[in-house]
């Protein structure tokens, strides 16, 4: 009888210990650990203006640990580290930040840096250039998945589609009004003369989206004399000045400086009517993106007002 009682007691002890082990296991105290731990593990490096703009629009700025020198972030993210140019990134500088994900454009590099990052088990994703709406939407979907924000991606795609549709409507109104306004884009850089943006440039894309005509017929960027610009007789002159401080790019001083340096431009229709506008430098980077769409919409609205 004594042996039997001892046997029963040991069985009860085993059952009690098993039950306590189950109760004390980590999974018993966490109802939804997987999603939260996955999201908290994201440490993002964004390389490229267009990519960073999408990250912010997806409300994922809190995941950023670094951006490249072409990207801009709001003041509340001033603590985010700033790396070099997105085509000339340093593997050592990135690895030191312990990122889990590096996302950039298709020109992010160099390739040797990307290979080192991959060997360090860091996920590297290059998004294709956005030259049209389908590719832009595809990139939004990809980022939404990578950053665990699929619902935000759906909302952002809806907003972008509406903006592009509104822009298309304005473009049609401009077309219906008659002749396309002639626009000349000039990129100003310290230490270098002004360069005019021709076909295939980001400025050319923005001008086309707005419904206007880029009167520079050559490809890429080219320096032009005052006399050459005067002969083109632009209706509007668009200016952009590269700087690390985007807030400085939209003031009237840029136009005033241009007129001082190139006084003959006062004799163009743009100069006579005061139709000289600035274009945010970030709109010229990253292809068809948020800033480019906004810049084209602003330009289209200006053209419509001038036609009234």
């Amino acid at each position: 009888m004594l042996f039997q009682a001892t046997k029963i007691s040991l069985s009860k002890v085993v059952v009690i210990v098993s039950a306590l082990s189950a109760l004390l296991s980590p999974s018993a105290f966490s109802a939804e650990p997987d999603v939260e731990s996955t999201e908290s593990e994201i440490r993002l490096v964004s390389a490229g203006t267009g990519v960073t703009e999408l990250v912010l629009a997806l409300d994922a700025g809190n995941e950023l640990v670094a951006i490249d020198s072409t990207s801009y972030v709001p003041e509340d993210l001033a603590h985010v580290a700033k790396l070099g140019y997105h085509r000339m990134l340093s593997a050592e500088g990135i690895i030191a930040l312990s990122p889990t994900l590096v996302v950039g454009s298709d020109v992010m590099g160099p390739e040797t840096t990307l290979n080192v990052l991959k060997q360090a088990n860091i996920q590297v994703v290059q998004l294709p250039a956005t030259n049209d709406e389908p590719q832009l939407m595809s990139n939004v979907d990809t980022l939404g998945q990578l950053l665990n924000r699929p619902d935000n991606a759906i909302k952002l795609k809806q907003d972008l589609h509406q903006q592009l549709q509104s822009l298309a409507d304005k473009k049609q109104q401009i077309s219906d009004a008659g002749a396309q306004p002639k626009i000349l884009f000039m990129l100003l850089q310290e230490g270098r003369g002004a360069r005019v943006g021709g076909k295939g440039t980001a400025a050319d894309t923005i001008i086309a989206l707005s419904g206007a005509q880029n009167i520079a017929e050559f490809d890429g960027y080219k320096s032009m004399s005052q006399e050459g610009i005067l002969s083109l007789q632009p209706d509007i002159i668009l200016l952009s000045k590269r700087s690390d401080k985007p807030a400085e790019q939209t003031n009237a001083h840029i136009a005033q400086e241009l007129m001082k340096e190139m006084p003959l431009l006062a004799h163009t229709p743009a100069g006579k009517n005061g139709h000289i506008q600035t274009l945010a430098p970030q709109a010229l980077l990253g292809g068809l993106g948020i800033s480019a769409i906004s810049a084209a919409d602003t330009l289209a609205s200006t053209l419509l007002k001038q036609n009234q």
Side-chain angles (χ1 to χ4, degrees):
M1 291 292 292
L2 180 59
F3 175 78
Q4 186 177 6
T6 303
K7 184 177 181 181
I8 294 173
S9 298
L10 288 173
S11 300
K12 287 182 178 180
V13 168
V14 170
V15 171
I16 292 171
V17 170
S18 298
L20 287 173
S21 297
L23 287 172
L24 294 173
S25 67
S27 60
F29 291 92
S30 179
E32 44 185 32
D34 294 336
V35 173
E36 292 184 1
S37 62
T38 299
E39 292 183 357
S40 64
E41 289 171 0
I42 297 176
R43 291 179 58 82
L44 173 65
V45 171
S46 177
T49 298
V51 175
T52 303
E53 286 184 342
L54 292 180
V55 169
L56 297 176
L58 288 169
D59 195 24
N62 61 307
E63 312 287 8
L64 287 169
V65 295
I67 56 174
D68 77 305
S69 62
T70 71
S71 298
Y72 302 108
V73 292
E75 290 185 4
D76 62 330
L77 293 176
H79 62 278
V80 173
K82 202 148 193 176
L83 305 172
Y85 187 50
H86 64 140
R87 293 174 183 258
M88 302 173 63
L89 297 174
S90 164
E92 292 78 8
I94 294 175
I95 292 175
L97 296 168
S98 301
T100 59
L101 175 63
V102 175
V103 182
S105 68
D106 57 350
V107 296
M108 175 176 65
E111 194 66 29
T112 52
T113 291
L114 303 186
N115 289 335
V116 171
L117 296 178
K118 292 173 184 177
Q119 291 169 5
N121 294 321
I122 297 171
Q123 185 178 9
V124 177
V125 177
Q126 289 180 273
L127 300 177
T130 51
N131 297 317
D132 53 34
E133 181 176 353
Q135 187 59 64
L136 176 59
M137 299 306 180
S138 176
N139 286 358
V140 171
D141 277 332
T142 299
L143 273 176
Q145 294 171 7
L146 289 170
L147 301 175
N148 299 320
R149 284 167 171 80
D151 293 340
N152 291 15
I154 292 173
K155 178 63 168 60
L156 178 57
K157 287 197 300 180
Q158 291 172 344
D159 292 344
L160 289 172
H161 178 73
Q162 290 176 359
Q163 292 175 35
L164 286 169
Q165 187 58 56
S166 173
L167 185 53
D169 292 341
K170 292 178 182 178
K171 182 176 180 179
Q172 186 60 52
Q173 293 178 48
I174 293 169
S175 177
D176 293 342
Q180 287 181 307
K182 296 182 296 181
I183 295 185
L184 183 80
F185 172 75
M186 300 179 68
L187 179 63
L188 310 180
Q189 293 177 283
E190 292 184 10
R192 299 181 61 178
R195 294 191 298 160
V196 173
K199 306 303 180 185
T201 63
D204 184 57
T205 299
I206 292 172
I207 293 170
L209 278 173
S210 73
Q213 173 193 0
N214 184 0
I215 56 175
E217 295 295 335
F218 50 82
D219 294 330
Y221 285 94
K222 180 179 177 182
S223 297
M224 290 188 69
S225 66
Q226 295 186 61
E227 293 78 8
I229 295 174
L230 179 61
S231 68
L232 294 176
Q233 291 290 290
D235 298 312
I236 295 177
I237 294 177
L238 283 180
L239 302 175
S240 186
K241 186 175 182 180
R242 286 184 176 169
S243 170
D244 291 333
K245 299 178 180 179
E248 295 182 356
Q249 308 310 302
T250 56
N251 58 59
H253 295 300
I254 296 176
Q256 293 174 0
E257 289 175 3
L258 176 69
M259 298 306 289
K260 287 181 181 179
E261 294 176 10
M262 307 181 78
L264 284 181
L265 300 190
H267 301 287
T268 64
K272 292 176 182 177
N273 297 313
H275 292 163
I276 299 177
Q277 301 179 358
T278 54
L279 190 64
Q282 58 265 39
L284 302 172
L285 301 169
L288 180 64
I290 293 175
S291 287
I293 294 172
S294 176
D297 186 73
T298 299
L299 179 56
S301 297
T302 299
L303 297 176
L304 286 175
K305 288 180 181 178
Q306 291 177 2
N307 287 338
Q308 291 177 353

